[in-house]
Amino acid sequence: MFGLNYELKVPNFDFVSQAKPSLFEYPKPTTVPTTTSSVKLPTAVLSTSVRAKARASKKEAEKANAEKAEPSSGKGKTSDKDGESMLGTSKV
């Protein structure tokens, strides 16, 4: 509350309020609750990472099958690329 007198000066006056002083107090500082959770949440798995892992395991399985099917002697061996180029198809 403020006021001025006819000379535009601030007069001395008293203000009496019947309100509780607690209404005019500063609010108490808040504290951030620091609770630690011992429950481990599951990690999100992206579909791209699942696909990449599937491709990697598929390649490893193909390599293992190719090594098992590979004859012990090197004679008469044809590479997959030569056979594919003759047929006009390619692996994806």
Side-chain angles (χ1 to χ4, degrees):
M1 208 158 111
F2 61 93
L4 300 174
N5 63 9
Y6 64 94
E7 294 176 356
L8 300 177
K9 293 185 179 179
V10 179
N12 292 332
F13 59 90
D14 293 327
F15 179 76
V16 178
S17 174
Q18 298 297 324
K20 296 182 211 175
S22 63
L23 294 175
F24 299 102
E25 290 179 352
Y26 286 108
K28 295 180 181 179
T30 59
T31 58
V32 179
T34 56
T35 58
T36 56
S37 177
S38 62
V39 177
K40 189 170 185 177
L41 299 174
T43 305
V45 179
L46 302 176
S47 61
T48 54
S49 61
V50 171
R51 289 179 185 166
K53 286 181 182 179
R55 273 188 246 122
S57 64
K58 187 177 179 181
K59 284 183 182 180
E60 289 176 12
E62 286 178 359
K63 283 183 182 180
N65 289 338
E67 289 176 1
K68 288 180 183 178
E70 186 175 287
S72 59
S73 63
K75 296 180 182 178
K77 181 178 173 184
T78 59
S79 67
D80 290 337
K81 291 181 183 179
D82 293 337
E84 289 174 4
S85 62
M86 288 181 193
L87 297 175
T89 60
S90 63
K91 288 185 180 179
V92 178

